[in-house]
């Protein structure tokens, strides 16, 4: 037998001893109950095993082929942002005890992890201004889909009113999740000037009963919505308000819960998660107490041990698939616990003032850049509503060409949203975080202007 | 509560208890921006005065979470034979390699041609998964096992839609993991439950009776969550296919099969793999995992977008234009860093290594089963695969109490009914599912067995102490209706002699 | 002993106890070399049959050392007020930045022009250290404080050699850290000890009497290891310099002075800095640290080779051709990764930050001293710098026992005589040196103070219980030779009335 | 006050409260005892403070300027080698408990660390085949200097016989350490053919009493010495044998202790330490029991707690500077504890078979490369003695030019030892570790040949 790569620990003598104990003479015989014609005859078609140093070299080679935020200045956003991740977050999340634990089914030896998940719930509750938060779902898109299903289950109405300016990928996932469960999705439009939800459209849609109105702020153009109005409107028509948000922005922008949202969902990547080509990120869901029983996923709460001492444990498992099976609120089992840990550590490090500063700096820098770019002839803001750290520009040049030329100069300049956009032909979405320096922003604005000049 | 002190109480302390107004958030400065004045345009809508977030210093954060980690049991601390969860060693190298800047700092909206290394990795991984499972095409998008199930079931839906067949039922064995019926429900199917035979396998007769035009498919785990390989799988597959239905494979138990049997060869049409089980990506306290979904060629058109494929000219691309696709299951491409770890795991092991992994997983479970048979007889009188279902019915204590006592001896409890991720029907309510995994050495297995025995002996000892009480009197217990012994009669003699 | 099990016993287990023949060493393979056959030429001399190294699986290694780490107290777990050691928070970011591949994977024998980033960093760090200390030139080579001392003393030697003066004595205050006399001896000097005055400062009169042609220099820590700033330093420096001798500064206590006072301005000619104290590089369980050594311009020619300097044309280079140099103190350039962490620390803080660090360090120590004054009066009736020397002489228990009890309340004991790194003369044998550092918040300081008081109260309580015994009788202790109280006489009345 | 970078935790109100308690009204007054003319009047001349993300970017920029083993194939050795470092080593050494502890002066809360140091002593003892090992000194060079002083203290003879083929830097440090303590160093030569110690030279040197004979194997030409003979010779003349070694080579080469060495020293970098531009590395010293009292640095041993339970603690502190002051065996206080931890984890992972394999693979690859290179016209092995994984070649072309051209092709091809070498004009020292693949070696050999061709 060839040397094993470090984690197969049964030696030949161990295997013999174990076979003896079992009472068979070979592994082959041990597996007698598997019909021969099902047994694989040839070795798997896989490359030769690699030593740790070969593997390391191979992965480094693959990694080195990818442009990244070290090689290119990143102005890409669209639900996932290049915010700074404090090293403490990486450090804590790499501690083996956290990394190699499973879901805390055995609370007696998982109090540390349970405390983390419980505090995550509490801290996110404050951020969203909503009392009940679960331990995470897969990502922002599935958080939306799960939130929508909560509203449908609670209302028994199979109709959703959805703003057309939520993230396109979120909408796509929502559609997939709902289609097979016979849920009607009615899209409402946005105001071509402000970029915000078209309230008239919403009014019309609300004439029919709906489980929920779904909106997102800042929306997919980066514009802060008038949530209060939207939520009020929904409630007037007995629809729940399901609101998507960008957690970082909540450092300065009123929480959806404060405006009365019934369900708040978010993509949590901006809270101390690396970009990681988009995954794993984290879906977050919070809600009112009365909707708790509709929540998907894990919930942690306080209980007592047999001595009467307070202890933490998973609670309300009767909602979950391992108990309720096909009647469960969701199928989710593995979730994003480690990401919840990361964001808890992140939010603990930032705190009241830190998150406010991150949000403010991001906004300041975005607005500075936007102002600089708006000065370039042929460039205009797509929408006039107030934006947080992300904004759409309409261009007179070919977006793809522009992005490509800027990429050659070391910039991932923005997301090309020319294709699936009905308001304008050439459009770019630019996001700025706290990590870009004034010099970089100004350098980029200059490069942008020059490149436009070259290609127009 | 004060920060910093009293070592053992971290679990009692929330981050709010450690909060001190004005602390934290430091270092968030930029020489060129004040970080305070809101942009004029934004100011009217950015009116939040307080978030109520806790305020901690960096050192308090480090200390608090360091301590909480010490109060959490993971595979890195000891054996974790939690049945069905495959808690094996997660190689440290893989964690680090997944965090290389060329992976960790890639924005998913970057131009496709700016990340060829990732495309190559995805494509290779898809191929490797196909090789391991005998499937034809894979999507890496699903976020976890359950999400893979949903993806697979939606693919099945699309398949029948395109055949213009209206099938509304998914058959599920009663032993199935809870995610199976839940995912079936989420994809709009009605679940019908197939009973398990007394041999622990799927009741093929019952199944045949349930087959009709309305059955879209059957979801199965093989080996099942009872730890048994279902030898009738070929027959089952044939029956399903004959009925025009499809066979779904829940790959959570694939750890038993690598290099030995392939789901594709058993007749499965759609499958998912739990990389966080079989391919040793760490579970992270409950996630994230990844649940790649594989299909036979005829189902390939339905895979979710984007599909990572290789062009005729060899270029690897993310295809979005797939008119038959089920659509998008989540944002972007999947759990990239988790997938990288799975890729590393496969490359470290190679074909022979993976086969050894599965052989050893099966060997270890059978070793445990054989070694504990007198104490905890197998629920089904058979050899098991990578996990064994043992009956605690002969124990003198509640199995729930029994396994909790194992904690005191450093062993994570196995899976019980209602205490973990697996569903057992009421018939096995005293059963425990033990999955030792292949990364525990014989010494650890023997020690684990010894701990089970130690707990059992405690019960015996307690019973013995009761049955042989009193212990503090001069003479021991006397049972008067016992037949008199010769020795007792003889013993009478001298004393009677004395009194005479 | 079995690997893997029994959580709390890791400390009892050696790696040999966990060894299982044939385990480990796996994954060391190469497809193109067998890893077994020795090269023909080498075979006759490569005859070792066995090393006797332990054989562990990877998982056993991870578990064992994870557990051992959990059985080790560090700053990451709680306050560590170990006087003179400056156990402050070590920012995690610095650890990671020092491990960037462009630092960690550089071979020291690479061509000089292949590592310009490192040269820049070294050069900047030297400048920053010069700015902080008021010295003119630095070498980063010394491996730790003691090594910096040796370097500095050898520079002093070279200085006098080049002046053709034969001076054989180094003066050292009795309170000096043990490394000072030890380094002096290693550099071939004779140590003469200067007493400390009752005010805790250097006895200038005694020193003056010791000055003569044979005195090469005086080694001093200011603030001293008694936590006091010596206000006579200018006078001391003048006297030394007048005598043609040099003044060496042991920078282990520089944490008190950044931005406030500079050794260079106090008249020191040669100094070292313990980066692992002042500049917050983690102590690693006892090292590695780094001990950069700084000198005034006239001593620059003697710095060890290589010297990192900037050419006239702006290029930074490692100079080897330095005929007056003391030579080489260790291999290569110094403790590079430790130095990088120090560099990061300086850049994170800036001038104002470093000043605040020192202010807060002094403030915290004085706060502790004031708050504990009734219980543990300061040995010297003065304000202290960044650490305070308190007397445990009034305690009813041995200070050694007293501080051990602090462990039960989560506080690392302070430095005592013979129990730590600092030397105290016999006069202070009940003293404890407490260095809270500036990274403990007021809440932690208050809690720490409370723990000291709690221990003291335990002693008081025990004494009270003894002094007021018996406690189980119907009446309490009666002291017969006490004067009779009025109330007692009065109490007599009714009973005497009764009997009358 | 400007926001602080995350580790100054006293708020303004805290500072006021503390000043109150102390009874002064300002920090300035608190520091009254410092003479005004000594007080710094201006802020320190330092750059503006950086946020974590600025710092990160700055350090990444500096790091990116350095060629390294990811950018260049590394054939450099000379006491520090590009052996593979298993990730488990990095992981364990980054655990905060180990990283942020001090010397274990308080054994009750340091049993984990003490176990590590104790096991390090035991494991290295086996590797060196010598009973007593200390907890490390700064590096290989200072280990040599400290070892030499042990011999001098033990013998009271102030004369050392030192082989001239030990690492030049080690010799340089030895000279510095010894010069001021009036120790005479007599260098003995090496055999120009074999590269080994010239035994005749040694014989002559041994005619005068010496504290020790100092030799190193493999020596600075990579050649394995006849240690048995050298040690025997030393002992015959009542000199101690102080032997330097390359720990990795001990996987296949007899330990110095086995040959009777009295003191074994080594540079420990090859045992799981990164290159790190040469520091921190680790000095290792082991010795016979009778010389224990002369050892520098920390020693850990077993003791009992007050209940009579076995426990670990620092022992024999009466040798050390904090007790014995100017009479101490050494001044060392901070040592390389974290590196000792790394090497213990490394050796535990490798074990009997692993270290043998690392050593064998390194040797196999080095011998393969050497053979390939020897085929190139104009290239010859400098010495004929058996080498381990490092060898000297004499060239007919200019070494500097050759190295430079190969560097342009992505190779750090070897150490140029032409300058301080009396046996040949143009010489290069090449080291090969287990991490180089056959393809790389052959590719390098081809490049080497072509480059020689070009420049000759
Ligand atoms: C048999 C089986 N199927 C499905 C799942 C669900 O997988 P996941 O947790 O990744 O969603 C599990 C998880 O425990 C399982 O054991
Ligand atoms: C005052 C003083 N000087 C010198 C040293 C020695 O420093 P190092 O341990 O870095 O050699 C110390 C270390 O504790 C010290 O406190």
């Amino acid at each position: 037998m060839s040397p094993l790569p470090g984690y197969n620990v049964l030696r030949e003598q161990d295997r013999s001893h174990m076979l003896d104990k079992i009472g068979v003479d070979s592994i082959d015989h041990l597996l007698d109950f598997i019909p021969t014609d099902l047994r694989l005859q040839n070795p798997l078609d896989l490359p030769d095993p690699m030593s740790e140093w070969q593997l390391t070299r191979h992965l480094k080679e693959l990694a080195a082929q990818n442009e990244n935020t070290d090689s290119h200045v990143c102005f890409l956003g669209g639900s996932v942002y290049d915010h700074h991740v404090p090293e403490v977050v990486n450090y804590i999340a790499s501690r083996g005890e956290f990394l190699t634990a499973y879901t805390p089914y055995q609370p007696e030896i998982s109090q540390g992890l349970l405390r983390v998940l419980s505090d995550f719930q509490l801290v996110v509750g404050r951020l969203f201004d909503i009392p009940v938060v679960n331990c995470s779902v897969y990502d922002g898109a599935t958080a939306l889909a799960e939130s929508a299903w909560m509203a449908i289950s609670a209302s028994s109405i199979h109709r959703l009113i959805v703003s057309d300016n939520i993230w396109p990928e979120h909408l796509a996932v929502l559609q997939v999740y709902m289609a097979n469960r016979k849920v009607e999705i009615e899209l409402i439009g946005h105001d071509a000037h402000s970029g915000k939800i078209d309230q008239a459209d919403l009014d019309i849609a609300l004439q029919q009963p709906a489980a929920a109105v779904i909106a997102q702020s800042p929306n997919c153009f980066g514009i802060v919505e008038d949530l209060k109005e939207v939520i009020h409107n929904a409630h007037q028509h007995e629809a729940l308000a399901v609101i998507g948000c960008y957690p970082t922005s909540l450092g300065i922008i009123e929480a959806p819960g404060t405006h009365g949202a019934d369900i708040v969902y978010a993509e949590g990547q901006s809270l101390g998660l690396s970009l990681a080509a988009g995954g794993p990120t984290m879906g977050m869901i919070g809600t009112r107490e009365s909707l708790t029983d509709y929540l998907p996923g894990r919930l942690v709460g306080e209980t007592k041990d047999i001595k009467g001492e307070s202890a933490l444990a998973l609670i309300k498992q009767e909602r979950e698939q391992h108990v309720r099976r096909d009647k469960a609120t969701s199928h989710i089992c593995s979730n994003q616990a480690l990401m919840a840990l990361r964001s808890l550590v992140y939010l603990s490090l930032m705190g009241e003032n830190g998150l406010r500063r991150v949000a403010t700096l991001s906004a300041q820098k975005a607005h500075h850049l936007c102002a600089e770019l708006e000065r370039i002839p042929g460039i205009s803001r797509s929408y006039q509503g107030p934006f947080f750290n992300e904004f759409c520009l309409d261009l007179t040049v070919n977006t793809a060409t522009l992005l490509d030329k800027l990429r050659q100069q070391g910039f991932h300049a923005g997301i090309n949203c020319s294709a699936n956009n009905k308001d304008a032909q050439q459009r770019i979405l630019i996001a700025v975080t706290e990590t870009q320096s004034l010099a970089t922003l100004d350098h980029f604005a200059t490069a942008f202007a020059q490149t436009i000049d070259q290609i127009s | 509560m004060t920060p910093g002190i009293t070592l053992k109480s971290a679990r009692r302390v929330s981050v709010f208890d450690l909060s001190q107004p004005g602390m934290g958030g430091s270092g968030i400065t930029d020489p060129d921006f004040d970080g305070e004045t809101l942009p004029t345009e934004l100011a009217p809508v950015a009116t939040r005065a307080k978030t109520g977030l806790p305020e901690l210093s960096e050192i308090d954060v480090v200390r608090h979470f360091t301590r909480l980690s010490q109060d959490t049991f993971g595979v890195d601390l000891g054996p974790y034979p939690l049945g069905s969860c495959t808690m094996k060693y997660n190689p440290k190298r893989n964690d680090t390699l997944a965090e290389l800047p060329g992976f960790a700092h890639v924005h998913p909206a970057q131009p496709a041609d700016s990340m060829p290394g990732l495309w190559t990795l995805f494509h290779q991984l898809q191929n490797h998964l196909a090789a391991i499972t005998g499937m034809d095409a894979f999507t890496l998008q699903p976020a976890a096992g359950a999400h893979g199930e949903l993806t697979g079931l939606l693919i099945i839906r699309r398949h029948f839609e395109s055949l213009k067949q209206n099938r509304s039922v998914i058959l599920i064995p009663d032993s199935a993991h809870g995610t199976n019926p839940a995912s079936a429900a989420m994809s709009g199917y009605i679940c019908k439950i197939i009973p398990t035979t007394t041999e622990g396998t799927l009741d093929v007769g019952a199944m045949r009776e349930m087959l009709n035009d309305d059955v879209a498919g059957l979801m199965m785990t093989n080996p099942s969550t009872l730890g048994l390989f279902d030898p009738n799988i070929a027959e089952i597959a044939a029956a399903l296919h004959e009925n025009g239905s499809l066979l779904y494979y829940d790959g959570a138990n694939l750890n038993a099969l690598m290099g030995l049997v392939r789901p594709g060869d058993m007749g499965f049409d759609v499958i998912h793999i739990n990389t966080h089980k079989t391919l040793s990506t760490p579970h992270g306290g409950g996630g994230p995992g990844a649940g790649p979904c594989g299909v036979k060629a005829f189902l390939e058109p339905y895979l979710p977008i984007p599909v990572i494929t290789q062009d005729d000219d060899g270029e690897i691309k993310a295809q979005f234009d797939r008119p038959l696709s089920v659509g998008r299951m989540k944002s972007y491409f999947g759990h990239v860093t988790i997938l990288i770890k799975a890729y590393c795991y496969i490359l470290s092991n190679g074909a022979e290594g993976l086969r050894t992994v599965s052989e050893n997983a099966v060997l270890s479970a059978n070793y445990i089963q054989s070694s504990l048979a007198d104490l905890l007889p197998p629920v089904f009188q058979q050899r098991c695969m990578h996990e064994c279902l043992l009956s605690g019915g002969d124990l003198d204590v509640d199995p729930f109490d029994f396994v909790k006592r194992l904690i005191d001896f450093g062993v994570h409890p196995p899976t019980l009914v209602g205490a973990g991720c697996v569903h057992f029907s009421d018939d096995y309510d005293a059963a425990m599912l033990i999955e030792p995994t292949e990364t525990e050495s014989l010494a650890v297995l023997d020690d684990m067995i010894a701990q089970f025995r130690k707990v059992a002996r405690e019960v015996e000892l307690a019973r013995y102490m009761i049955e042989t009480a009193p212990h503090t009197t001069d003479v021991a217990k006397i049972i008067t209706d016992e037949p008199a012994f010769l020795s007792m009669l003889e013993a009478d003699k001298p004393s009677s002699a004395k009194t005479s």
Side-chain angles (χ1 to χ4, degrees), chain A residues 167-428:
Chain A
W167 295 121
E169 287 202 347
H170 288 196
L171 180 59
V173 173
L174 180 69
Q175 283 162 335
V176 169
Y177 268 65
M178 296 300 123
N180 311 292
R181 297 178 106 168
K182 304 201 174 59
V183 178
E184 182 199 334
I185 293 179
E186 179 156 346
L187 282 183
I188 52 169
H190 59 271
D191 180 84
H193 177 255
S194 72
K196 297 181 190 177
I197 289 177
D198 185 328
Q199 297 276 356
D201 246 34
L202 176 58
D203 284 340
I204 297 166
L206 278 167
Q207 301 311 315
Q208 304 295 319
V213 172
I214 295 177
Q216 174 192 308
S217 175
N219 63 31
C220 77
F221 313 125
I223 307 290
V224 180
E225 290 281 357
D226 297 325
L227 280 189
K228 202 168 164 182
E229 215 169 315
V230 173
I231 295 170
H232 180 75
N233 220 336
H235 286 173
Q236 288 273 306
H237 294 82
E238 275 159 28
L240 295 172
V242 175
I243 306 295
C245 63
Y246 173 3
T248 306
S249 75
L250 301 184
I252 52 176
I253 291 173
E254 217 67 71
T258 312
H259 291 306
D262 304 286
I263 301 176
V264 184
Y265 73 92
E267 168 52 65
Q269 181 276 336
S270 66
L271 303 175
L273 277 59
S274 57
L275 292 169
T281 61
M282 170 176 62
M284 305 162 83
I285 303 182
T287 192
R288 293 196 273 107
E289 260 149 27
S290 58
L291 293 173
T292 310
D293 289 346
Y294 300 100
L295 270 175
R298 314 291 183 191
L299 275 177
V300 173
E302 214 167 315
T303 179
K304 296 225 177 300
D305 69 11
I306 57 170
K307 293 182 186 157
E309 274 231 47
S310 140
L312 299 167
L314 294 174
I315 57 166
K316 292 190 167 284
Q317 300 190 51
E318 66 280 2
R319 297 167 297 107
E320 293 192 62
Q321 45 73 30
H322 61 283
V323 178
R324 194 71 75 77
R325 303 178 71 75
D326 57 339
K327 302 289 179 301
T329 54
S330 165
H331 64 158
I332 195 168
C333 177
S334 288
N335 56 13
Q336 309 294 104
L338 195 69
M339 275 54 224
L341 165 69
R342 291 185 74 96
S343 63
L344 174 63
V345 176
Y346 177 83
L347 288 170
S348 302
L349 283 170
M350 293 299 119
E352 185 71 52
N353 298 325
L355 194 71
R356 161 167 291 274
R357 275 180 170 274
V358 169
T360 307
L361 280 175
S362 299
Q364 287 178 332
K365 294 180 178 192
H367 282 260
H368 172 81
L369 180 63
C370 182
E372 291 297 311
L373 295 180
E374 277 189 279
R375 290 216 227 119
I376 303 170
I379 290 200
S380 59
R381 279 260 286 287
S382 312
Y383 301 107
Q384 302 309 314
F387 68 90
F388 168 53
N389 73 332
E390 199 166 9
F391 52 92
C392 279
L393 296 181
D394 287 340
L395 314 173
T396 49
V397 298
N398 181 282
T399 314
T401 315
L402 174 69
L403 290 179
D404 208 53
K405 295 245 178 254
L406 284 168
R407 181 177 157 205
Q408 286 160 24
Q409 297 165 67
F411 299 105
H412 289 145
I415 295 179
N416 186 347
C417 29
S418 311
N420 44 1
N421 153 52
K422 44 189 187 292
D423 297 347
Q425 271 315 300
Q426 300 297 340
R427 178 171 290 181
I428 185 178

Side-chain angles (χ1 to χ4, degrees), chain B residues 324-392:
Chain B
L324 295 176
S325 163
V326 296
R328 186 174 260 297
M329 296 305 298
K330 72 177 295 298
S331 298
Y332 305 111
F333 316 110
H335 284 172
V336 180
T337 57
I338 310 292
L339 296 165
I340 295 172
K341 296 179 195 190
Y343 177 71
C344 291
Y345 182 78
I346 294 170
L347 289 193
S348 302
N349 277 287
E352 194 179 339
L354 290 183
R355 185 189 165 102
T356 309
V357 161
S358 288
E359 285 180 2
N360 288 354
V362 174
L363 188 58
S364 297
N366 279 286
Y367 181 71
I368 296 270
Q369 174 168 298
S370 296
S371 304
L372 289 174
D374 55 329
L375 188 70
L376 304 165
V379 171
F380 303 101
Q381 296 300 321
Q382 297 173 39
R383 299 231 163 84
C384 61
M385 289 295 279
H386 65 306
E387 50 195 355
C388 54
L389 190 70
L390 307 184
S391 167

Side-chain angles (χ1 to χ4, degrees), chain B residues 482-494:
Chain B
E482 291 269 288
F485 291 108
L486 183 62
S487 62
M488 285 176 76
L489 294 174
E490 283 173 349
D492 274 349
K493 278 175 198 159

